[in-house]
Amino acid sequence: MAPIPGDAEISPHNWGAEQARLYAESGGTEGTTFEGAPCLLMDYVGRRSGTVRRTVLIYGRDGEDYLIVGSKGGSPTHPHWYLNIVAQPDVRIQVGTQRFPARAETLSPEEKARVWPTLVELYAPYEEYDQRIERDIPVVRLRRTDG
């Protein structure tokens, strides 16, 4: 696993760019929720540019792991961050004031079915997005890699 170098720039494709900036600049003490749901910051490497980008995402938990949803607000296409972490799954995340490396893995259909109700409970619009679009909305596990 290659560590993500340096600092990251806020993704230009991010619905929450201002929130991501607030989250990062406050050291993880502000901007940590969206409509009551907990949020994390994720730094990832652009598959074409090689640029380290940052996005803010709602997350759920599955044991020690973090779960994020590639809903893109119900868009018919996957979010850019998802395409990038499929190509390069080593990421850096910040949850509150803690920053650490993690590895991203898309859940299997069976695993997604198990955790989906919990994610919808956390952020109800996911269910509406899922019913409105034809693509399968990916759920990604972020597993801490620094022990």
Side-chain angles (χ1 to χ4, degrees):
M1 176 176 84
I4 293 183
D7 204 16
E9 65 180 55
I10 304 296
S11 172
H13 306 289
N14 188 339
W15 56 266
E18 285 306 311
Q19 182 180 355
R21 191 170 285 103
L22 175 64
Y23 199 128
E25 289 175 358
S26 72
T29 61
E30 297 180 55
T32 59
T33 62
F34 177 75
E35 296 183 3
C39 294
L40 57 75
L41 290 180
M42 181 176 70
D43 297 351
Y44 58 91
V45 177
R47 68 194 180 287
R48 293 184 192 137
S49 68
T51 301
V52 178
R53 303 225 188 259
R54 175 172 293 150
T55 192
V56 63
L57 297 160
I58 292 170
Y59 74 89
R61 296 295 301 262
D62 186 31
E64 295 295 312
D65 299 333
Y66 298 87
L67 301 174
I68 54 177
V69 177
S71 68
K72 197 177 177 184
S75 170
T77 60
H78 289 308
H80 291 275
W81 64 259
Y82 178 72
L83 301 173
N84 288 312
I85 67 171
V86 167
Q88 170 48 269
D90 296 320
V91 299
R92 181 174 52 217
I93 63 175
Q94 181 171 343
V95 180
T97 59
Q98 294 186 39
R99 285 175 53 121
F100 49 89
R103 185 152 183 97
E105 173 190 8
T106 302
L107 296 186
S108 69
E110 296 79 21
E111 289 178 298
K112 178 183 172 182
R114 179 179 62 80
V115 300
W116 186 251
T118 303
L119 295 168
V120 169
E121 186 176 309
L122 188 66
Y123 187 67
Y126 288 150
E127 187 64 27
E128 186 264 325
Y129 301 160
D130 191 45
Q131 292 173 5
R132 182 178 55 180
I133 61 174
E134 292 183 22
R135 74 175 170 91
D136 182 51
I137 295 175
V139 175
V140 176
R141 175 183 311 284
L142 299 174
R143 180 164 285 154
R144 193 173 181 148
T145 58
D146 66 350

